[in-house]
Amino acid sequence: MRAVRGPVRVRQIRQVLLALVLLAVGLVMIAPLVWLVAESLTEEKSAFSLPPSWTPSPFTVDNFRAVPGLIPFGRMALNSLLVAVVSTGGSLLVSVMAAYAFSRLSFRGRETLFLIVVSALMVPVQMTVIPVFVLMRTLGLVDHLAALWLPALINVFAIFFLRQYFNTIPRELDEAARIDGAGHLWILFRMLVPLSAPALAAMTILTFELSWNSYFAPLIFLSTPEHMTLPVGLVTLQNGQGGSSVVVFAAITAVVVPVLAVFLVFQRNFVASIASAGLRG
């Protein structure tokens, strides 16, 4: 009996130590975010004290009220939300259909074509910005939000990720559905998509975050303040509008909150997708 209790106690000690290490790492990672929110709610004369304060004292929301007076924050937030939602929804729709074709359809050159598509992951975005800019100018979309979400509809990583996930779903389910008279669209949207909810949630988080935080593309394609997105607006606020540091912190906090909300909504499915990917290899 004692021989059994020994390994159990060692296992419990290891679990406690692991939990403490993860807690310490988590605190280190979340500390900058807590400090950001605390400083954004602190009066300017009392901000950035040493040692840093983790609670807003004295508390104020005037920093948030000052942001719309310096930049068109509401318009920029609406632009960012529109681009992020359209980019996320459109790229997921395109990626789901492309992943189904590469996973379930048999046609000549499928593997070669998939290899060519995946090889695009090795091409830096900066190398494609000139031809994309020329294309957007030809289409008359420069300084238009469509110049941001239209190229984002093709998400190579999402196609690769979903195709690999579809391959883990037994093909016997497809055959059973075809026996009942189901077509490709029914199999995709009524069977594979619901079964791939964790993978789709993970891609939703990653795509939304990438689009919401994008700075390079809006800087290249947009020029008027009415069409700018929040990342470009934050740089304008910091450099050209005379905003104090606490006001900039308030604007950054307002930008971070939507991404956190999306993660909190989809976090369970996101963790499930990572766990299932590890189990399935």
Side-chain angles (χ1 to χ4, degrees):
M1 191 68 175
R2 293 180 179 177
V4 176
R5 289 180 179 177
V8 173
R9 183 174 296 274
V10 171
R11 190 180 304 111
Q12 292 176 347
I13 294 175
R14 288 179 178 176
Q15 291 177 350
V16 172
L17 292 176
L18 178 61
L20 292 175
V21 172
L22 293 177
L23 178 61
V25 173
L27 291 176
V28 171
M29 295 180 65
I30 201 174
L33 178 61
V34 174
W35 181 68
L36 170 69
V37 176
E39 295 298 328
S40 67
L41 294 171
T42 303
E43 291 185 2
E44 183 177 1
K45 61 181 180 180
S46 302
F48 308 110
S49 59
L50 292 176
S53 176
W54 302 104
T55 57
S57 178
F59 178 86
T60 181
V61 294
D62 292 340
N63 301 325
F64 290 90
R65 294 173 180 172
V67 174
L70 298 174
I71 58 173
F73 186 85
R75 181 64 181 179
M76 291 178 177
L78 182 61
N79 292 339
S80 292
L81 182 62
L82 177 63
V83 172
V85 170
V86 174
S87 298
T88 302
S91 66
L92 286 180
L93 178 61
V94 173
S95 300
V96 160
M97 293 189 292
Y100 178 83
F102 285 123
S103 175
R104 289 301 198 266
L105 302 183
S106 297
F107 54 89
R108 180 179 299 178
R110 184 185 67 174
E111 299 302 325
T112 303
L113 180 60
F114 180 71
L115 182 61
I116 295 174
V117 172
V118 172
S119 63
L121 290 172
M122 297 182 292
V123 181
V125 178
Q126 291 77 7
M127 292 185 62
T128 63
V129 66
I130 294 179
V132 173
F133 183 87
V134 173
L135 176 61
M136 293 298 109
R137 186 180 62 181
T138 303
L139 296 176
L141 297 179
V142 175
D143 198 25
H144 194 280
L145 295 181
L148 302 181
W149 61 257
L150 191 60
L153 296 181
I154 307 301
N155 189 333
V156 178
F157 178 76
I159 295 174
F160 168 77
F161 185 80
L162 293 174
R163 185 254 190 184
Q164 299 303 108
Y165 201 94
F166 286 169
N167 285 343
T168 64
I169 300 176
R171 296 179 181 271
E172 288 77 6
L173 297 177
D174 301 23
E175 298 174 359
R178 289 195 184 92
I179 293 175
D180 292 336
H184 290 296
L185 292 179
W186 193 99
I187 294 173
L188 174 59
F189 291 105
R190 299 293 296 275
M191 187 177 69
L192 293 183
V193 168
L195 292 175
S196 305
L200 292 173
M203 292 312 308
T204 298
I205 294 175
L206 296 176
T207 306
F208 185 90
E209 179 184 5
L210 180 64
S211 177
W212 182 266
N213 294 329
S214 176
Y215 173 75
F216 181 73
L219 183 65
I220 297 297
F221 293 107
L222 305 179
S223 57
T224 57
E226 293 76 14
H227 294 155
M228 289 182 180
T229 55
L230 284 175
V232 180
L234 291 179
V235 176
T236 303
L237 176 62
Q238 183 178 6
N239 295 336
Q241 300 296 333
S244 63
S245 298
V246 287
V247 174
V248 175
F249 271 39
I252 295 174
T253 301
V255 172
V256 170
V257 166
V259 178
L260 290 178
V262 171
F263 177 77
L264 291 176
V265 170
F266 294 100
Q267 64 170 333
R268 181 172 299 178
N269 288 330
F270 180 79
V271 174
S273 69
I274 300 301
S276 62
L279 291 174
R280 294 173 181 177

